[in-house]
Amino acid sequence: MNYDKYSEVKDLIKWLYAGSDETYGYRRIQDELFLFGYVFDDETVRRIMRSIKLMPTCYWTKSGKFSSYKGEHGKVAENLVRRDYVVTSGRKSKVLWYTSRTPC
């Protein structure tokens, strides 16, 4: 026969989890179970919560991605030398070197 020895505990965990607005993790559930007289190892509480597919949702939702981009700042200098910085073919098509000849 399939007998589940944690059926009472699963119902209690579901009740505690729902009462916490789905924010309690296994540690807080373990503390609450201790107050009700159940003493379990943390690995057991995690295994039970995993078996009934309970995980705190407050840590999985993100409000938005961080981006420090604030637009372009300053001016872009004009191309006074009128160079074409695109190499279309050749063996050095991936490397393009230019040096500056400005007087010191």
Side-chain angles (χ1 to χ4, degrees):
M1 290 290 185
N2 292 336
Y3 174 70
D4 187 13
K5 65 180 181 179
Y6 296 116
S7 60
E8 288 180 23
V9 178
K10 285 181 181 180
D11 293 335
L12 184 58
I13 287 175
K14 287 179 187 177
W15 181 74
L16 290 170
Y17 185 76
S20 72
D21 295 327
E22 300 180 353
T23 58
Y24 279 8
Y26 75 94
R27 291 181 181 156
R28 292 175 86 176
I29 293 288
Q30 183 181 11
D31 291 342
E32 293 292 324
L33 288 175
F34 182 75
L35 295 177
F36 282 94
Y38 294 98
V39 180
F40 291 112
D41 188 38
D42 58 343
E43 188 65 35
T44 305
V45 175
R46 279 193 293 190
R47 185 171 39 83
I48 292 171
M49 288 183 70
R50 226 178 298 141
S51 70
I52 54 181
K53 295 179 177 49
L54 295 181
M55 294 183 79
T57 58
C58 61
Y59 302 114
W60 296 102
T61 58
K62 296 208 175 194
S63 59
K65 287 192 170 184
F66 174 77
S67 175
S68 63
Y69 179 73
K70 296 179 180 170
E72 293 188 21
H73 293 280
K75 298 178 186 176
V76 177
E78 292 183 32
N79 187 5
L80 298 177
V81 182
R82 306 278 189 256
R83 286 203 173 151
D84 182 18
Y85 293 101
V86 178
V87 176
T88 56
S89 65
R91 68 182 186 110
K92 293 187 177 182
S93 63
K94 294 183 181 176
V95 179
L96 182 65
W97 291 47
Y98 286 106
T99 59
S100 174
R101 301 273 296 162
T102 55
C104 296

